[in-house]
Amino acid sequence: MAKKRKLKLRIDRLIIVLIVIGVVGFGLYRGASWVVGTISSYFQKEEEQTQTNEEETVTEKEYIATIVIDPGHGDWDPGANVGDVLEKNITLTTAKAIGDTLEEANIKAVFTRESDISLSNNKIEDLKKRAAMSAENNADYFVSIHVNSFEESDDVSGFEIYTKNDESQSLAQNIGSSIETFNYSKNRGIIDGERSLQVLRDNTVPSVLLELGYINNANDYAYLSDDQKLQKLGEAIAQGIINEVSAHNSETITQNNTNE
Ligand SMILES: [Zn+2]
C-alpha cells in the first residue's frame, strides 16, 4: 500500500510539475512574441514615417501661381490647317513649351488637354469644360492658344490677343510685349473677346485667348509649321505670363507692407 501511495504521489507531483512547466512555458512564449511584435511594429512605423516624409517632400513644391493653359481644338476638331499642318497640333506643342517654362519658374501649369483629345463631341460642351477648369483648379489665369486663318487673303499676318475683361488687360500686354521681343510677326493688338469667345465668356478668372498667327500667311506659316520655333514662341509667351505673375506678386507684397 505504502509503495503504491508513494508512486501515486510522485505521479501527482510530476503532473503538477508538467502543468507548471506548461504554464510558465506558455507565458514565456506569449511574453516573447509580444516583445518581438512590439519591437517590429515600432520599426515598421518608423519606416512608414520615413516613407511619408519622402512623399511629402516630393509634393511640397511651393507654386507662386496656377495657370490653366488651353491648347485649342483636338481630336475630331483639327481647327485651321494648311495641308497636314493642323492648328490642334500647333496649339499643343506651344502649350507644352509654355508649361515647361512656367514650371521652371515655380508656376503651376494645368492643361485642358495633354494629347490629341477633345473634352466632348459637342463643341459648346467642349469649350464649357475647358473654361470650367479655372475654377476647378483654383487658377489665377487662363490662357487659350489658337491659330488664325484668313481665306480671303494670305497677306494678313501677326498675332492677336483677345481678353475677357479689364483684369485680363495687363496679362495680355505682358504676353504681347514678350512675343514682340522674339521678333516673330507683327503684334495686331489686344481685342475684347468677352462677347465673341465662349471660352473667355464662361471663364471665372482673368483670361486671354491668343491667336498665334495666320497659318495661310507665308511668314507666319514658317514659324507655325516648325516645332523648334514653336518651342521659342511658347517660351516667349511663358515669359510674358511670368512677368505678369511677378508684377502682381510684388504689388501684393507692397500692399501688405503698406497695410502693416
Ligand atoms: Zn482655333
Side-chain angles (χ1 to χ4, degrees):
M1 269 308 256
K3 230 183 185 181
K4 257 195 183 170
R5 233 185 167 176
K6 254 187 186 170
L7 190 68
K8 195 165 183 281
L9 259 174
R10 274 188 196 157
I11 289 169
D12 285 351
R13 270 189 208 156
L14 191 67
I15 288 168
I16 289 165
V17 166
L18 282 175
I19 287 170
V20 168
I21 289 172
V23 168
V24 170
F26 182 71
L28 280 175
Y29 166 75
R30 289 297 300 261
S33 44
W34 177 79
V35 169
V36 170
T38 313
I39 291 171
S40 66
S41 76
Y42 171 76
F43 279 109
Q44 224 164 17
K45 260 185 202 159
E46 208 164 59
E47 206 172 285
E48 277 167 17
Q49 196 103 43
T50 323
Q51 275 172 355
T52 326
N53 285 348
E54 275 168 12
E55 276 164 23
E56 273 169 10
T57 326
V58 173
T59 51
E60 240 176 32
K61 187 168 180 182
E62 285 239 357
Y63 287 109
I64 53 171
T66 301
I67 317 289
V68 173
I69 305 167
D70 174 38
H73 310 274
D75 191 25
W76 57 268
D77 174 16
N81 79 298
V82 168
D84 59 359
V85 178
L86 311 175
E87 179 179 357
K88 66 173 182 176
N89 297 332
I90 296 169
T91 58
L92 188 57
T93 305
T94 312
K96 282 181 175 170
I98 298 172
D100 288 345
T101 312
L102 290 182
E103 288 280 342
E104 280 168 23
N106 283 337
I107 297 173
K108 188 176 181 184
V110 177
F111 298 94
T112 56
R113 67 179 180 98
E114 289 183 82
S115 58
D116 186 16
I117 57 158
S118 68
L119 275 65
S120 167
N121 287 331
N122 176 285
K123 186 68 187 168
I124 292 170
E125 276 305 306
D126 176 86
L127 293 170
K128 277 186 184 300
K129 283 185 177 175
R130 289 170 196 250
M133 285 185 74
S134 293
E136 286 163 14
N137 293 281
N138 204 15
D140 299 284
Y141 298 99
F142 178 95
V143 177
S144 188
I145 307 296
H146 284 259
V147 170
N148 245 329
S149 74
F150 189 52
E151 305 292 322
E152 285 80 2
S153 164
D154 51 18
D155 288 339
V156 181
S157 68
F159 61 91
E160 294 160 359
I161 305 173
Y162 292 83
T163 51
K164 176 178 172 62
N165 48 23
D166 288 347
E167 286 83 70
S168 319
Q169 288 297 314
S170 66
L171 173 64
Q173 275 158 8
N174 273 309
I175 292 176
S177 319
S178 186
I179 300 176
E180 275 175 18
T181 62
F182 170 56
N183 201 22
Y184 143 70
S185 189
K186 70 175 157 202
N187 186 349
R188 299 176 59 86
I190 296 170
I191 304 155
D192 178 6
E194 167 87 35
R195 258 178 260 162
S196 57
L197 298 166
Q198 199 192 332
V199 85
L200 297 182
R201 191 170 57 242
D202 287 355
N203 231 294
T204 49
V205 300
S207 312
V208 297
L209 185 144
L210 188 54
E211 292 281 2
L212 294 178
Y214 284 79
I215 198 168
N216 55 323
N217 171 269
N219 172 72
D220 290 2
Y221 178 84
Y223 278 85
L224 300 171
S225 59
D226 183 331
D227 279 0
Q228 278 178 336
K229 284 178 173 152
L230 287 181
Q231 176 72 32
K232 296 280 171 210
L233 193 52
E235 286 166 14
I237 295 164
Q239 192 53 54
I241 298 170
I242 293 165
N243 293 346
E244 166 70 14
V245 169
S246 318
H248 201 269
N249 276 0
S250 60
E251 229 172 68
T252 317
I253 291 163
T254 322
Q255 275 172 3
N256 285 348
N257 285 347
T258 327
N259 288 344
E260 276 165 15

